[in-house]
Amino acid sequence: MHPARLLLLRSLSAAPFSAGHCGRAARAGAAQRARSSWAAPRPPQPQQRRAMASAGEGAAAASARKPCRIGVGQMTSVGDQLANFETCKRLAEEAVSKGCRVLFLPECFSFIGTSQPESLSKAEPLEGPAMGRFRQLARDTGLWLSLGGFQEKGPDPQHLYNCHVVLDSTGATAATYRKIHLFDVDVPNGPVLMESRTTAPGNKLVVCDSPAGVLGLTVCYDLRFPDMYQRLTWGMGAQVLLVPSAFTKVTGAAHWEILLRARAIECQAFVVAAAQAGRHNEKRESYGDSLVINPWGEIIARFEDKDATGLITADIDLDDLERVREKMPIQAHRARGRAQYLGPASDGAA
């Protein structure tokens, strides 16, 4: 084999990430050793230095960028909004105590009932009292909050929106995304769930800036549609893909981890997946297994107890993301390939 090709293969086999804060010292040590195998970027040449200087504050901010510690909450929501809020509040307080700047909560963080009409009855506008409690929580803790799937009042009395809301540390709305792909499935050996009976689909993809980087917002069943994540990443600049979920036990055991890792690898992005866990009521049970995955496809934080409530933390280091994308420039190769089979007019975004 040509020596240059051998060197490239060796460099790509390395795993350039820290292991987050999931309590596994051995994995952290291995990841740190792997990090050292990646060469530092070459210093900029004179023309590059002049261009960087002209960029002003943006260049200064990039050079001062530090990893952002995040918290990922796992919980078992029930049919009591105030009880669920108290659980979220405890998770937020724990996140603050561990130095987090952003807390990610799962789909249905505010309410899970025993029937779709019951959920529909809890729908509120985003300016209502239920979301108001979380706005105050953001202000009280100084955290950004990713609220994975809220029962937002819908377009008509028969439908709500499953809305992913991101609040900044002042409690203001940074972004909202209404779930597009609705879960209408008769799960083998599991429940029959027809989300579209009481939920209207959204029609817009959403990204937003945050202390952890550019977030790409999705919800649960969206995970099975990779083109959505590729557009969020390559077309809209997402660096951290969010997949707050309430996966069923059957589908979670079969597909949860492999789909999340696939999205991270093919998009060369971090994936944050806050999950509902355990038995909510006599009719519904969720898989759990909250995860954070790095752009190399490695799990850097995991909630080991699939049925429990609690918090995991991880550091999001965007320099690690950039190293992966530099070593294997999928975005450029993807655009080149699309131009071949779609023609030169392809924008490479989807």
Side-chain angles (χ1 to χ4, degrees), residues 61-124:
S63 65
R65 184 169 60 196
K66 295 180 180 179
C68 175
R69 182 163 299 179
I70 65 167
V72 181
Q74 180 167 293
M75 62 187 293
T76 307
S77 291
V78 295
D80 183 331
Q81 288 180 310
L82 292 179
N84 294 330
F85 175 75
E86 288 301 317
T87 298
C88 295
K89 182 179 177 182
R90 289 195 298 272
L91 292 171
E93 290 168 347
E94 182 179 353
V96 170
S97 73
K98 293 183 176 179
C100 299
R101 298 182 63 193
V102 188
L103 172 63
F104 298 88
L105 293 172
E107 183 183 26
C108 303
F109 64 93
S110 180
F111 183 83
I112 289 183
T114 57
S115 68
Q116 289 178 311
E118 187 181 7
S119 294
L120 186 61
S121 72
K122 300 297 181 181
E124 291 185 10

Side-chain angles (χ1 to χ4, degrees), residues 36 58 76 104 109 132 148 177 193 221 235 256 304 306 333 335 338:
S36 67
T76 307
F104 298 88
F109 64 93
Y177 160 73
L193 297 172
Y221 189 53
W256 173 248
E304 298 291 350
K306 290 184 173 64
H333 295 165
R338 285 174 57 82

Side-chain angles (χ1 to χ4, degrees), residues 181-196:
H181 300 100
L182 302 182
F183 191 70
D184 288 354
V185 177
D186 183 350
V187 179
N189 302 313
V192 177
L193 297 172
M194 300 297 292
E195 190 174 15
S196 67

